[in-house]
Amino acid sequence: MAGKAVGKFRNATKYRLSFPTLPGLTVQPLSVELIQKQENHDVMIIEYASTSNYWFKRLKTGIPVQFWWEQGSRNKSWVGYISTVSKKSAGQQERPLKLYCVGSSFKFKNNKPRVFKSKTIPEVVAVLAKE
């Protein structure tokens, strides 16, 4: 799924959203909001304008989500999974479907590679867990 969003005072942003285990789901979302705060889990809220029973039966907790975006020469990616699915069941014509997705916590994000010498995997895990 590919799209283009333009924000105020920003260059055009290109993005791609996919569900690796549901390759047939290629409908463009109404909105995608990624909330990243230090010391908190990343949260992505994906909203579709309307829903079908086909989507609602397949978009369940634990389904992986991949999001990639590009602004100018910068590109980033985000990986998470669906945590909650919210669907309005009122009688109106449009019934938005919201997917609340969770990514890794801030503590697990590290842009600097580290090398551990003469340590076993349990020792490395113990060091990282202590930090």
Side-chain angles (χ1 to χ4, degrees):
M1 170 180 311
K4 189 174 185 177
V6 178
K8 189 174 182 180
F9 305 118
R10 290 188 185 164
N11 292 333
T13 301
K14 297 177 187 175
Y15 66 91
R16 185 174 61 242
L17 176 69
S18 67
F19 300 91
T21 57
L22 300 170
L25 183 60
T26 58
V27 176
Q28 186 73 16
L30 181 63
S31 68
V32 177
E33 181 180 3
L34 178 59
I35 303 163
Q36 294 179 305
K37 294 181 183 176
Q38 190 169 357
E39 304 296 329
N40 288 308
H41 288 285
D42 294 346
V43 176
M44 178 177 282
I45 303 168
I46 305 166
E47 184 175 1
Y48 288 96
S50 62
T51 183
S52 73
N53 286 334
Y54 176 82
W55 294 1
F56 192 69
K57 288 177 185 176
R58 284 156 184 79
L59 293 171
K60 298 288 183 188
T61 300
I63 298 291
V65 178
Q66 291 180 330
F67 184 68
W68 170 88
W69 71 96
E70 179 182 307
Q71 272 186 328
S73 62
R74 296 181 59 198
N75 59 20
K76 298 278 185 175
S77 64
W78 181 86
V79 177
Y81 63 91
I82 296 174
S83 176
T84 306
V85 179
S86 169
K87 169 182 143 178
K88 288 191 179 180
S89 58
Q92 72 264 20
Q93 216 170 22
E94 284 192 23
R95 288 173 285 192
L97 173 72
K98 283 190 178 182
L99 306 175
Y100 295 87
C101 306
V102 178
S104 62
S105 70
F106 183 79
K107 290 191 182 281
F108 294 125
K109 298 176 195 174
N110 188 356
N111 292 334
K112 297 178 183 175
R114 293 174 59 183
V115 177
F116 293 90
K117 293 182 180 179
S118 302
K119 293 210 182 272
T120 64
I121 292 175
E123 292 171 338
V124 171
V125 170
V127 170
L128 296 174
K130 191 181 275 187
E131 292 176 2

